[in-house]
Amino acid sequence: MLGRIFTVGGYTLLSRLTGFARDIMLAAILGAGPVADAFFVAFRLPNHFRAIFAEGAFNAAFVPAYAHVQGGKGETSAKLFSDRVFTLLFLSQVVLLALAWLFMPQLMTLLAPGFTHDDAQRNLAIALTRITFPYLLLITLVTLYGGMLNVMHRYASAAAASIFLNISMMATLAIAAFFPTVGHAAAWGVLVSGFLQYFLLAGDLATHGGLPRFAPLKLDEDIRAFFRALGPATLGSMGTQVAMFADTIIATFLPAGALSALYYADRLNQLPIGVIGIAVGTVLLPEMSRRITAHDHEGAMQAQRRAFDFTLLSGVPFVAAFLAVPDVITRAMFARGAFTKTDAAAAGATLAAYAVGLIPFVLIRSAVATFYARKDTATPVKASLTGIGVNVALKLLLMGPLAQVGLALATAIGAWINLLLVLGFAVRAGYLELNRALVQSLLRFASTGVLLAAALWLTARFAAAHLSGLTAFRDEIVLLILVLVGAVIYAGSILLLFGPRWLKTLVR
């Protein structure tokens, strides 16, 4: 399982690195003004739908169901099941795309009401979203193919697919002079990447398992069970995305640049979420589904505990860095060209607010896996809806005094409530044991995080004082020093508090 996590995490890391290159380029060319805000609305809308209905709800319902049919009824039944799901998925996405194209002005009024006072910005957002929205259809099929490949223990192509998004956008940004605006260039890059990702996954699946085909629709028991799981899974996966929707809507009422600050802070925050949280959750779900289908409940619980430990081991350094030195990170990454140091400071404050909830962000996929693997998609909904309610209420309270920082902080608090409720439900159901070893492990991770955060904060102040004479690449050099010092401090803290035997047990 750890080898598969490194496969997914490695390709996801490469995707995130190319994504940072894309965002550095985007920040330098597009900046943080009205055109940038219009593009980020166009970019986020199809991605919100994708995260709710494709990667979120669909994976949670499809992967355990497909693994169950394949393990219990054989390849022929699994092939028929995937064909019928493909047919339903394709038809529903075509209808959604047609409605979105037709009613895009009304959709923009609903989801970006703050743009109504500026006709030029609103019309630009409508035009860009019409370009990007077909990406949802393509990426939904990519998600289906990726789910099938994951059950076959083939993770590489699905994890690497998003690299094409970054490459495609950088290519169109490089020739932005040939488009009406830089926003148009970026939007066309998003759409082109959807085709590239589709062909990558379709080629892999065609070679190793066969592509799904259109099939007569029949609501047999397997399809009905899939839909019974899909409904609650959709609600369960909406937690973070509803929060992001609310961010998009509310930020359109804030001064220009708020949406851009949210976007760039979220991009940094997504690095550990994608490389660690999603990678571990992607591998853990089919692993737990397979063990539970084989009635190995203790093995499933052990796999989840190791997933928690590995996620925290990898995630704590990001929490410490984002809380201790967010301003250094955002200046070093993005403060160049049209993106000023003032813009970077706004993004840094937003990043620190997101970091308050980074632990639940990276752990939630592994936490809900114990329910999804048992085809129980209803229980996590209770936690998710509670988190959503608190999240949205706090956004409305905090948007005035804290602007976009308040939106990010509300998202973080909602994430904590969601995670704690999911863990409580798991303990009550007997799926998770909060024993002494787990509590001691959490306390040790907290201690290492505090030590690392203090070391990074002190190092940043020392480096800034001694490098004040540099006029070029000062922030980049400080960030490099922080990475090196942080790696040494964190490695030493882990060995001191956990010991080498614990590390050997984790990777064995």
Side-chain angles (χ1 to χ4, degrees):
M1 189 176 73
L2 195 61
R4 294 167 189 155
I5 289 172
F6 277 117
T7 297
V8 177
Y11 279 110
T12 307
L13 176 60
L14 181 58
S15 172
R16 291 297 189 263
L17 292 176
T18 55
F20 284 132
R22 177 200 77 194
D23 288 336
I24 290 169
M25 191 173 180
L26 194 62
I29 298 174
L30 194 58
V35 176
D37 286 354
F39 167 71
F40 291 132
V41 167
F43 188 37
R44 293 180 79 166
L45 289 185
N47 275 289
H48 287 322
F49 282 106
R50 182 211 72 206
I52 293 173
F53 298 108
E55 293 178 355
F58 181 80
N59 257 347
F62 177 77
V63 170
Y66 185 71
H68 176 77
V69 174
Q70 188 182 61
K73 298 182 180 180
E75 292 290 342
T76 302
S77 296
K79 180 69 169 63
L80 179 60
F81 174 71
S82 64
D83 287 348
R84 287 173 174 164
V85 171
F86 165 76
T87 304
L88 288 166
L89 197 64
F90 183 85
L91 293 176
S92 65
Q93 290 300 310
V94 168
V95 171
L96 178 62
L97 175 59
L99 290 174
W101 270 21
L102 185 61
F103 297 105
M104 189 60 68
Q106 292 81 1
L107 183 65
M108 195 59 59
T109 299
L110 178 65
L111 298 178
F115 285 175
T116 54
H117 67 279
D118 188 336
D119 288 339
Q121 189 179 38
R122 170 183 161 81
N123 292 335
L124 179 60
I126 291 171
L128 297 184
T129 308
R130 280 180 167 150
I131 296 171
T132 60
F133 216 85
Y135 173 78
L136 175 61
L137 168 62
L138 296 163
I139 215 65
T140 300
L141 297 180
V142 165
T143 303
L144 168 64
Y145 297 167
M148 296 174 66
L149 288 166
N150 288 351
V151 174
M152 302 173 194
H153 299 307
R154 294 189 59 82
Y155 297 93
S157 58
S162 58
I163 296 172
F164 284 114
L165 172 63
N166 307 321
I167 294 173
S168 177
M169 287 183 65
M170 285 191 288
T172 54
L173 285 170
I175 55 172
F178 296 97
F179 292 89
T181 69
V182 176
H184 283 83
W188 279 108
V190 172
L191 180 57
V192 170
S193 78
F195 286 100
L196 296 176
Q197 292 179 66
Y198 173 82
F199 289 125
L200 174 66
L201 270 293
D204 192 358
L205 187 58
T207 303
H208 295 94
L211 288 172
R213 298 179 179 180
F214 289 106
L217 298 180
K218 181 180 178 181
L219 294 177
D220 58 16
E221 179 55 34
D222 292 329
I223 294 295
R224 287 198 297 271
F226 168 70
F227 275 110
R228 284 196 297 269
L230 183 63
T234 300
L235 292 175
S237 66
M238 286 175 65
T240 302
Q241 296 308 311
V242 167
M244 300 298 286
F245 262 128
D247 284 348
T248 302
I249 293 171
I250 294 172
T252 60
F253 291 101
L254 297 175
L259 266 170
S260 301
L262 281 168
Y263 172 80
Y264 289 109
D266 183 59
R267 287 296 299 158
L268 288 164
N269 195 48
Q270 288 294 325
L271 175 62
I273 294 174
V275 174
I276 303 164
I278 294 177
V280 174
T282 298
V283 174
L284 181 63
L285 179 56
E287 177 71 16
M288 292 190 74
S289 299
R290 182 183 62 81
R291 289 180 179 272
I292 290 171
T293 300
H295 305 290
D296 180 14
H297 294 281
E298 179 58 34
M301 190 181 297
Q302 183 180 2
Q304 187 181 42
R305 286 197 299 265
R306 294 180 69 192
F308 283 168
D309 281 343
F310 185 78
T311 300
L312 289 172
L313 176 67
S314 307
V316 165
F318 289 96
V319 179
F322 291 170
L323 286 173
V325 288
D327 51 339
V328 176
I329 296 172
T330 52
R331 286 200 308 269
M333 293 298 297
F334 303 124
R336 58 187 58 83
F339 199 83
T340 66
K341 289 191 175 183
T342 302
D343 298 328
T350 309
L351 175 62
Y354 273 134
V356 172
L358 187 53
I359 291 298
F361 288 151
V362 295
L363 278 180
I364 192 62
R365 287 285 288 261
S366 297
V368 299
T370 189
F371 295 101
Y372 291 161
R374 292 173 170 86
K375 296 194 286 187
D376 176 8
T377 54
T379 299
V381 172
K382 303 173 186 177
S384 178
L385 292 180
T386 304
I388 291 172
V390 173
N391 189 346
V392 174
L394 287 175
K395 286 183 190 302
L396 296 175
L397 289 173
L398 298 176
M399 63 172 286
L402 298 178
Q404 81 280 352
V405 176
L407 303 184
L409 185 59
T411 300
I413 295 171
W416 270 110
I417 292 173
N418 186 14
L419 176 66
L420 292 175
L421 287 175
V422 167
L423 294 177
F425 293 149
V427 171
R428 187 177 65 181
Y431 302 156
L432 177 67
E433 293 181 1
L434 288 180
N435 52 28
R436 182 178 178 182
L438 179 58
V439 173
Q440 288 179 341
S441 178
L442 293 176
L443 291 175
R444 288 170 181 167
F445 276 122
S447 299
T448 58
V450 171
L451 287 173
L452 179 58
L456 291 175
W457 187 85
L458 291 172
T459 302
R461 297 303 176 272
F462 179 83
H466 287 77
L467 297 176
S468 58
L470 287 179
T471 57
F473 302 109
R474 181 176 60 188
D475 292 317
E476 290 84 349
I477 293 172
V478 172
L479 182 59
L480 178 60
I481 293 171
L482 289 172
V483 170
L484 296 175
V485 171
V488 173
I489 295 294
Y490 189 61
S493 300
I494 290 294
L495 289 174
L496 178 65
L497 294 175
F498 286 89
R501 181 178 299 178
W502 177 83
L503 287 172
K504 291 179 181 178
T505 303
L506 180 64
V507 301
R508 185 176 300 163

